């Protein structure tokens, strides 16, 4: 169970982790500045197991993998959005940050308590007693996630 | 049913004779690219897994272009990691200060990428090389690591959007205005996960530099790739740079999910207002936007013709009081041409500075950071909140010609106003 931090449409990777922090890449450093230009207090208040809920095109812009690394480093359980920008989407899968496409997630409010079942895609809003169905991954992508990231799948890619 | 150029490139790369939109495929890569921000993360991933091999030293490019010449000890350490890695693996296409340029201007210029290639790069603007009829897309550092280790990646076959161009651009209107206009039409996620294929009789009136600019910003409307057909202009550009490539083209009966038509003759100088590239207006506009800084450069618009066009406006004129003009030739070769052709002199005489090639200011790294409430008119690609500095600074995206006119007049302006 975790608390919801809500963001708007088109959250770009520059606000998730501004370039001024990209001169180093440790998880702790990146996590401590996560979402800083969208909500300067986010990194200090987010707790392990909390959720980011956002609108369309989450993670657009720069390809910096530092963005999902920062979010995962903060302990965020999953990012739930109406849609994701494609590079952020694949970066999250490749590093094992849970992401969920859920067109109805706009109904979820800031501060609601959620639970999320990664295997079924079921999202329960305990505050409003509503449930939502997130998209599940096709087997190809599920395999990457189950193996704990892309580099653990090296053998699957050899001819 | 036939296939599009993008689908044919992907079929070649996954060795299949048919593919379907949405299908997940494993593809063989002709080039894997990274820079001084994204490569260290890829190297760390490889080290973590104990992988100490690369698939092909000639098919990896590492370009130190973002925080270079290094701005502080931390960024110098990142560059040093890349340098050590490139040396240990004898990476052929490793570019350091003195030889480097902004990656997406450098790779085509040096003939490192070519038509028919399937390319990934750990930089979102890797989609630039679609201008020379290659499939090219931005990815992250783990993808780069995987690509370097085994020469492969996974891709979802994108849906195809056809952008039919007709007519010819008016004076003071360029590829930048075309792509800003398109992003304004369809929005920042208007081509999410999809291909933008440019075609039609209008293509032949676009220079290679215009095509690079257009493909470069395909990602700003979410596209996986942008691509142009191969024609005489492509052939001429490649003549001195690369030999032995394969040309693919779209079948007449290929399927497109959507067709967009644009009359080039109707385009006006176009500007993206803060804070999204889709927030476009045409010039002249009724708002008065006072400029503190003007930036001409980047992987989008730092090529020779961009600087030439800007200098045609700056020549014999002065940058307005209170405006800082920064011009960043995208590569060493372009820089040298600017010196030889007297363009550096024009810029300096006008009161501007000419910087070494770097991505620096565009991403708020260094060499042109904005203070609180400052305004930059910029030939770059993103005007997100805080992109170039303080979170309450503002970026207006425009062509090099609009940037030059704005530098002279001290406010957002069309060259026609001079």
């Amino acid at each position: 169970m975790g608390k919801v931090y809500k963001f708007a449409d088109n959250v770009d990777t520059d606000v998730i982790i501004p370039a001024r922090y990209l001169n180093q890449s440790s998880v702790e450093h990146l996590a401590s500045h996560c979402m800083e230009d969208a909500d300067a207090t986010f990194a200090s208040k987010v707790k392990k197991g909390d959720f980011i809920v956002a609108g369309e095109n989450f993670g657009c812009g720069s390809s910096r993998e530092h963005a999902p690394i920062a979010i995962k480093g903060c302990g965020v359980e999953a990012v739930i959005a109406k849609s994701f920008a494609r590079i952020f989407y694949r970066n999250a899968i490749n590093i094992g940050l849970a992401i969920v496409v859920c067109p109805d997630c706009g109904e979820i409010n800031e501060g609601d308590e959620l639970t999320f079942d990664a295997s079924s895609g079921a999202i329960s809003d305990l505050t409003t007693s509503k449930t939502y169905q997130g998209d599940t991954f096709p087997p190809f992508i599920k395999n990457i996630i189950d193996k704990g990231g892309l580099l653990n799948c090296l053998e699957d890619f050899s001819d | 049913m036939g296939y599009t150029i993008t689908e044919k490139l992907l079929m070649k790369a996954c060795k299949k004779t048919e593919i379907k939109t949405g299908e997940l495929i494993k593809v063989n890569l002709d080039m894997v690219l990274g820079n001084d921000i994204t490569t260290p993360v890829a190297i760390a991933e490889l080290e973590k897994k104990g992988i100490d091999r690369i698939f092909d030293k000639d098919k990896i490019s590492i370009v130190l272009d973002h925080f270079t010449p290094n701005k502080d000890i931390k960024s110098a350490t990142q560059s040093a990691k890349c340098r050590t890695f490139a040396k240990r693996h004898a990476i052929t296409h490793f570019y350091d200060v003195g030889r480097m340029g902004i990656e997406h201007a450098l790779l085509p210029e040096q003939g490192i990428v070519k038509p028919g290639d399937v390319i990934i790069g750990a930089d979102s603007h890797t989609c630039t090389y679609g201008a020379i009829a290659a499939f090219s897309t931005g990815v992250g550092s783990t993808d780069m690591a995987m690509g370097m280790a085994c020469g492969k990646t996974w891709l979802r076959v994108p849906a195809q959007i056809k952008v039919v161009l007709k007519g010819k651009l008016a004076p003071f209107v360029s590829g930048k205005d075309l792509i800003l206009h398109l992003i304004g039409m369809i929005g920042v996620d208007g081509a999410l996960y999809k291909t933008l294929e440019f075609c039609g009789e209008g293509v032949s009136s676009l220079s290679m530099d215009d095509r690079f600019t257009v493909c470069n910003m395909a990602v700003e409307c979410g596209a996986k790739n942008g691509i142009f057909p191969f024609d005489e202009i492509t052939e001429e550009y490649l003549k001195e740079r690369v030999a032995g490539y394969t040309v693919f083209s779209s079948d007449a009966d290929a399927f497109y999910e959507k067709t967009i038509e644009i009359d080039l003759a109707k385009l006006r100088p176009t500007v993206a207002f803060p804070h999204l590239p889709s927030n476009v207006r045409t010039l002249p506009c009724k708002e008065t936007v006072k400029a503190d800084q003007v930036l001409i450069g980047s992987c989008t618009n730092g090529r020779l013709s961009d600087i030439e066009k800007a200098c045609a406006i700056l020549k014999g004129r002065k940058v307005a009081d209170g405006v800082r003009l920064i011009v960043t030739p995208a590569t060493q070769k372009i820089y040298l041409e600017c010196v030889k052709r007297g363009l550096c002199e024009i810029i300096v005489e006008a009161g501007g500075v000419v910087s070494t090639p770097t991505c620096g200011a565009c991403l708020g790294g260094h060499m042109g950071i904005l203070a609180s409430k400052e305004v930059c008119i910029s030939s770059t690609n993103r005007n997100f909140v805080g992109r170039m500095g303080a979170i309450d600074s503002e970026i207006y995206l425009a062509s090099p010609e609009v940037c030059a006119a704005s530098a002279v007049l001290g406010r957002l302006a069309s060259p026609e106003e001079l």
Side-chain angles (χ1 to χ4, degrees), chain B residues 274-287:
Chain B
H275 292 284
L276 281 177
S278 56
N279 188 18
V280 301
R281 299 183 207 178
T282 53
L283 295 179
C285 61
K286 53 183 187 300
E287 296 86 351

Side-chain angles (χ1 to χ4, degrees), chain B residues 248-375:
Chain B
F248 292 81
S249 57
S250 295
D251 294 328
D253 60 344
F255 177 73
Y256 295 88
E257 179 192 272
K258 186 175 168 184
T259 299
I260 297 166
E261 290 184 13
I262 297 177
D263 184 351
L264 297 175
K266 287 189 179 155
L267 297 180
R268 298 281 309 142
T270 303
V271 179
F273 277 48
H275 292 284
L276 281 177
S278 56
N279 188 18
V280 301
R281 299 183 207 178
T282 53
L283 295 179
C285 61
K286 53 183 187 300
E287 296 86 351
T288 303
V289 179
K290 208 190 150 302
D292 297 294
Q293 179 170 296
V294 172
L295 173 63
I296 299 173
S298 82
C299 58
T300 309
N301 278 123
R303 296 182 180 81
L304 187 60
S305 66
D306 296 320
I307 299 170
E308 274 180 328
K309 285 183 195 169
C311 283
I313 291 163
L314 293 170
K315 191 171 183 180
R317 294 192 169 105
K318 293 283 180 196
V319 173
D321 280 348
V323 177
R324 314 181 294 265
L325 170 66
I326 301 166
V327 182
T328 308
T331 67
Q332 287 289 90
K333 193 173 174 182
I334 296 168
Y335 194 111
L336 189 57
E337 277 302 311
C338 288
V339 172
K340 286 182 180 168
R341 297 184 189 201
L343 304 178
C344 291
E345 192 177 335
I346 292 170
I347 295 161
V348 173
E349 289 280 353
V353 297
V354 186
S355 131
T356 174
T358 178
C359 308
C362 169
L363 81 157
H366 64 150
M367 303 283 282
I369 306 294
L370 301 176
S372 172
K373 299 199 172 22
E374 285 191 334
V375 169

Side-chain angles (χ1 to χ4, degrees), chain A residues 23 65 86 90 94 156, chain B residues 26 72 137 141-143 154:
Chain A
N23 57 355
E65 201 162 293
R86 58 162 286 275
R90 63 184 296 130
N94 288 344
D156 302 337
Chain B
K26 294 173 192 165
D72 54 24
T137 193
S141 294
T142 299
D143 284 311
W154 63 276

